[in-house]
Amino acid sequence: MSETKITVIYDNPTDPAAFESAYEAEQLEAARRIPGYLRLEASKVWPKEDGSPTPAYRMIDLYYPDYATAVDAVSTPEAGAFFEAMARLSTGGVRVLMSDVEVPSH
């Protein structure tokens, strides 16, 4: 059985310094409290060498053992707090995806 991954893609914020000042405490800590995940990955997109805007700014990936567990997780109060903070902090836009992981890393 394959895993399910929830990916949050934060587009470039209107004020990167304000986003960064709140990201760890308000977003990453909230993601850590969402139940049931196997692992969590947080990443920041490398800047482009030519100085042009990147296609995204940051990402958070939460891996679950299956789709049903991921669906259950996003309906919890902890996920509600995460999504509330996400909506508030993602001033440049945000995308949330649920994916079937076809080749798990372990």
Side-chain angles (χ1 to χ4, degrees):
M1 178 182 283
S2 60
E3 295 175 350
T4 294
K5 175 173 72 166
I6 299 170
T7 301
V8 180
I9 303 170
Y10 302 90
D11 293 326
N12 293 295
T14 57
D15 183 347
F19 180 92
E20 289 298 323
S21 70
Y23 173 76
E24 177 74 31
E26 295 183 37
Q27 195 65 126
L28 195 51
E29 284 305 316
R32 288 181 176 124
R33 288 191 288 273
I34 299 172
Y37 64 85
L38 300 170
R39 68 186 178 283
L40 180 150
E41 294 176 348
S43 53
K44 187 172 182 183
V45 177
W46 287 107
K48 287 188 168 186
E49 289 79 12
D50 66 2
S52 62
T54 57
Y57 185 73
R58 281 192 174 274
M59 295 188 307
I60 293 177
D61 294 299
L62 293 159
Y63 293 83
Y64 288 87
D66 52 50
Y67 181 77
T69 305
V71 169
D72 288 345
V74 298
S75 65
T76 64
E78 294 87 352
F82 171 82
F83 289 122
E84 184 278 323
M86 179 193 75
R88 190 170 20 83
L89 294 176
S90 57
T91 57
V94 65
R95 291 164 277 164
V96 180
L97 309 165
M98 223 180 230
S99 306
D100 179 32
V101 179
E102 295 175 334
V103 182
S105 63
H106 55 284

